Amino acid sequence: MSDPAALRRRALVAAGCCATLVLTALALVVVVGPERALVTHLVEDTAAALAWVGLAVACALRNRPTGSVLTIAGAWSVAAVTGGWSLVLDPSAAAAVGWASAGSWGLGVGLAYTLGVLTAARWSSPRVLRRAAVAASLLVALAFATLPTVTTDDQVRPNPVGTPLAPVLAVVGVIAVVVVAFAVIAALAMQASSPARRRTILPVLVAALAGLVAIGTGAFATQWAPIAQALTVPLLPLTIAATVLGTPGRGRRSVAAQLDGAADPSSALAATLAELGHELGLTGLAIEVDGRTVASVGGSFDDVRLPLVHLGRPEGHLLTPPLDEDAADEIGRVAPSVAAVLASVRLVEELRRSRAELTVAREAERRRVRRDLHDEIGPLLAAVAVQTEAAALTLERSPDSSRRSLAKARAAGSDAVLALRRIVRDLQPVAVDDLGLVGALEELAARLTGPATVTVTSSPTPPLSAAVEVALYRIAAEAAGNAVRHAAATRVRLALTVVDGAVVLTVDDDGCGFDTTGPVAGAAAGAGAGVGIGLGSMRERAAELDGRLSIGSSATGTTVRAELPVPAAGGTSP
């Protein structure tokens, strides 16, 4: 496969050669005078050559195919420069170059209104049609170049390469070019099935028809033909240049309007697909995310999968039917906007899910505090009330009994204070602020050690933000507390390490374990209580900081592993 840069350089060099011929023709227009140049069609040839050379440069710069365009530009350039020289040279020399001008003009007209029209809409034409276009154009060029006489500046001179069959060949060639040209126009008109295709094709078809009509008038109204042809023949390459260079498409403006007027990102996706399908005349479009269709229009859209990427993150795929070059270009320009909307839909869904999870976690925390107050503080305060009332009743009759009741009330009050402090500490782990993360974990281990031995190991960690430290402490407290209270563990180990730029907390025990796919795990979503709520809380704390939490459990023990990315230090570090 050839290097695109090398192809572009060669195309620009060829266009430069044609431009040199055009500049020479422009100089000859000045030499012979504008009026004489117009009457002899030199102005028409020069203007057409200039327009086709400009189109060749535009195609080369936009990495479009330039073969046909350069051939047409070369033919018009030769026709212009040889036609100019035939006006300034002596009669014998004029006749020698006149045949070249006539042949080049015939080739330029034939190719322009056949291959040129096909190039305009970037349409993949049948090979037989393209071959017919080239054959008809070459026939016209050969016939015009070999006519028995050459007319230059209203002077009829013998053609040195003329043949008797040339007039018949010229008629046959012109008819062939006209037939092929109208076949191309009709074929392209049938392709204008969508608004985008019509905007691309119709201006070119109008310009082609206008040029053919103007050239045809030369056989009937010779006095008006030079002006008509000078004005209409350059229109075809100019309209083709407009399609090659392109402007912000109406499709993109329509999509932008749909995005601006949408009530929410989800409705914007459906409206965008509907508008894009209408503009491009597609049978169907769909957006797929993780194998799931989130929006679709029409019914046939599984032939092409175009990735939708926003800020380097794949958001999904756009499913389309087979696309021609115009539709592919338009969708390529719209795809970033669709990807941005798809990213907005994802972020909105994540926000809604996060809000729901926070609501569940908040309610779970409230239930835990209520349970702790009811189950621990409530009985202790009730015991204080009962014992103080008993002391009051026995104060006069049995001072010793009253003192015992007051002692019990004092002990219950002390227990209530300790329990309240524990509840407050669980709400806000002051130990993390005072002792650092490792110190707080060691204090937690000492507090939980009893029937089970709780140990802490740690490796050096980078400075951690306050949010990461609190999240790790909460996860460790919940996992170790579950192991001690619910799993009948005799050994619990807390390990803090750093792996690949993330801080990893591992809590493993030798308890009885539980079914991670059963009701307890299901309660983690907030539906249950007890250990299930704790699991859900741990997962939510990890997810809030873009971390991961995994739980493995069997009959011989449970392992909880929390992995949190290490951001820049934003708070107290251990």
Side-chain angles (χ1 to χ4, degrees):
M1 182 178 293
S2 300
D3 180 16
L7 292 176
R8 183 167 58 249
R9 286 194 297 271
R10 287 197 290 268
L12 291 175
V13 169
C17 296
C18 294
T20 302
L21 297 179
V22 174
L23 291 176
T24 304
L26 286 173
L28 293 172
V29 169
V30 175
V31 171
V32 302
E35 183 177 356
R36 186 182 175 199
L38 178 63
V39 173
T40 57
H41 297 275
L42 179 58
V43 171
E44 168 201 344
D45 296 348
T46 304
L50 183 62
W52 281 103
V53 170
L55 175 58
V57 173
C59 289
L61 294 178
R62 296 297 295 271
N63 292 322
R64 302 291 187 190
T66 56
S68 299
V69 176
L70 281 173
T71 302
I72 299 170
W76 279 108
S77 300
V78 172
V81 73
T82 53
W85 282 115
S86 68
L87 298 177
V88 298
L89 296 175
D90 58 80
S92 59
V97 297
W99 68 271
S101 176
S104 300
W105 183 87
L107 182 62
V109 170
L111 293 177
Y113 291 96
T114 55
L115 292 183
V117 177
L118 294 179
T119 302
R122 291 171 277 171
W123 180 59
S124 180
S125 57
R127 184 175 300 177
V128 63
L129 193 57
R130 301 183 72 87
R131 288 178 176 176
V134 173
S137 301
L138 291 176
L139 181 60
V140 169
L142 176 63
F144 279 32
T146 58
L147 288 173
T149 59
V150 175
T151 301
T152 58
D153 202 10
D154 291 335
Q155 299 294 321
V156 179
R157 299 182 177 89
N159 186 356
V161 295
T163 61
L165 293 178
V168 177
L169 292 178
V171 173
V172 174
V174 169
I175 294 175
V177 167
V178 170
V179 170
V180 173
F182 277 97
V184 168
I185 291 173
L188 288 181
M190 289 188 293
Q191 295 293 316
S193 57
S194 67
R197 293 288 290 173
R198 286 193 289 272
R199 286 193 298 272
T200 301
I201 293 174
L202 292 183
V204 176
L205 296 184
V206 171
L209 289 173
L212 288 174
V213 170
I215 292 173
T217 58
F220 307 101
T222 55
Q223 69 276 20
W224 296 106
I227 297 178
Q229 293 173 12
L231 294 176
T232 57
V233 169
L235 288 180
L236 179 59
L238 292 178
T239 54
I240 297 174
T243 65
V244 171
L245 294 175
T247 55
R250 183 179 171 186
R252 274 171 286 165
R253 294 194 295 270
S254 301
V255 168
Q258 294 294 332
L259 296 179
D260 292 339
D264 58 80
S266 297
S267 62
L269 283 178
T272 298
L273 291 185
E275 187 67 24
L276 194 59
H278 169 71
E279 283 293 321
L280 301 179
L282 302 177
T283 56
L285 286 170
I287 293 177
E288 181 184 88
V289 178
D290 297 330
R292 177 173 53 92
T293 301
V294 297
S296 65
V297 294
S300 176
F301 43 70
D302 56 354
D303 295 281
V304 180
R305 294 169 57 87
L306 302 175
L308 297 174
V309 181
H310 180 64
L311 298 179
R313 171 175 177 151
E315 298 291 344
H317 289 85
L318 180 64
L319 310 183
T320 73
L323 301 174
D324 58 26
E325 190 174 358
D326 291 326
D329 285 349
E330 193 72 13
I331 286 183
R333 297 185 184 103
V334 174
S337 299
V338 177
V341 176
L342 196 56
S344 299
V345 172
R346 174 179 55 80
L347 293 175
V348 168
E349 290 300 321
E350 290 179 355
L351 179 60
R352 289 173 179 170
R353 185 167 56 252
S354 176
R355 287 177 174 175
E357 292 172 351
L358 288 175
T359 300
V360 170
R362 183 173 62 248
E363 292 303 318
E365 191 76 5
R366 288 176 178 175
R367 286 196 297 269
R368 186 186 65 80
V369 172
R370 183 175 67 247
R371 184 181 65 248
D372 290 345
L373 292 175
H374 179 272
D375 295 345
E376 297 186 43
I377 304 298
L380 292 172
L381 294 179
V384 171
V386 169
Q387 294 299 328
T388 53
E389 184 177 356
L393 292 176
T394 60
L395 179 61
E396 295 181 355
R397 291 182 289 111
S398 178
D400 292 338
S401 178
S402 178
R403 281 192 295 272
R404 287 193 297 271
S405 296
L406 288 175
K408 293 178 180 179
R410 184 170 57 251
S414 299
D415 291 342
V417 170
L418 293 176
L420 189 60
R421 286 176 178 172
R422 182 186 59 78
I423 294 173
V424 172
R425 183 174 61 246
D426 290 342
L427 290 176
Q428 176 60 42
V430 180
V432 174
D433 293 334
D434 296 339
L435 306 175
L437 177 59
V438 175
L441 292 177
E442 292 174 345
E443 188 270 342
L444 172 68
R447 181 155 44 88
L448 292 176
T449 295
T453 300
V454 183
T455 59
V456 177
T457 60
S458 65
S459 61
T461 61
L464 303 176
S465 66
V468 171
E469 289 184 336
V470 171
L472 291 172
Y473 179 83
R474 292 288 197 190
I475 293 171
E478 187 65 41
N482 285 342
V484 172
R485 290 191 297 268
H486 302 289
T490 61
R491 178 190 57 80
V492 180
R493 185 175 67 89
L494 284 69
L496 191 66
T497 58
V498 176
V499 179
D500 296 333
V503 59
V504 178
L505 172 69
T506 305
V507 181
D508 61 73
D509 64 73
D510 60 354
C512 60
F514 64 96
D515 183 4
T516 58
T517 62
V520 170
V531 64
I533 293 176
L535 296 181
S537 175
M538 289 190 290
R539 287 194 175 97
E540 289 158 7
R541 292 186 190 282
E544 286 173 0
L545 297 174
D546 293 329
R548 297 192 299 270
L549 186 132
S550 60
I551 302 174
S553 186
S554 66
T556 59
T558 300
T559 299
V560 177
R561 187 177 190 273
E563 182 178 339
L564 302 182
V566 180
T572 305
S573 60

